[in-house]
Amino acid sequence: MFGIVTLRYGFNIGSIAAQESITYLHGLVFMLAIAHTLKINGHVRVDIFYQRLGPKGRAIVNLLGSVFLLLPVSIFIAHASWDYVSTSWAYFEGSREAGGLDGVFLLKSLIPLMAFLLFLQGLSEIIKSICTLREANHGR
């Protein structure tokens, strides 16, 4: 991004494709890293009580959150984005800007892919929570 800005304002050399590539790369990183971030527990938690809970309490919160929030939202995103993405694929949507990248349909495909990866990670979180609860019950 620094290079694009330097070329644009320092040397009056601009490239729409280079500018759009930054958007594509950001989309790629953030959309595909969301499930991994969940895996490593890197998402921001606003719940002040979660920090005070023990492993069993956290497992219950994670289980309920995954079953009643994460999985339904992932399914909704995948379902809601399907027509949006398939329409884009139907005519191989490209940039609206002259000299832009012609892969907008590929960028939009990250939406249902993200939902699918998030769904799979949600299933993993459910399994981990159930295992934690079983271990807590057998440890008594």
Side-chain angles (χ1 to χ4, degrees), residues 27-140:
L28 185 71
V29 168
F30 290 113
M31 297 291 274
L32 297 182
I34 194 169
H36 176 72
T37 304
L38 178 62
K39 177 184 177 189
I40 63 171
N41 203 17
H43 287 281
V44 175
R45 292 192 184 268
V46 182
D47 185 1
I48 57 173
F49 301 109
Y50 185 84
Q51 297 173 4
R52 296 179 184 159
L53 297 174
K56 185 176 177 181
R58 289 181 182 184
I60 291 170
V61 170
N62 289 339
L63 178 64
L64 294 175
S66 295
V67 170
F68 294 112
L69 293 172
L70 181 62
L71 295 186
V73 167
S74 297
I75 292 168
F76 174 77
I77 291 171
H79 182 268
S81 68
W82 190 256
D83 286 340
Y84 178 68
V85 174
S86 61
T87 301
S88 183
W89 268 87
Y91 59 91
F92 298 108
E93 182 180 6
S95 176
R96 294 180 181 170
E97 302 292 328
L101 300 176
D102 288 329
V104 173
F105 65 100
L106 296 171
L107 185 63
K108 288 182 178 182
S109 298
L110 294 175
I111 300 168
L113 179 58
M114 180 241 7
F116 177 70
L117 293 174
L118 200 54
F119 184 87
L120 290 179
Q121 186 57 42
L123 291 178
S124 174
E125 294 298 317
I126 290 170
I127 292 168
K128 285 193 294 190
S129 296
I130 290 171
C131 289
T132 300
L133 291 171
R134 283 188 178 168
E135 287 173 7
N137 288 336
H138 290 302
R140 289 185 168 181

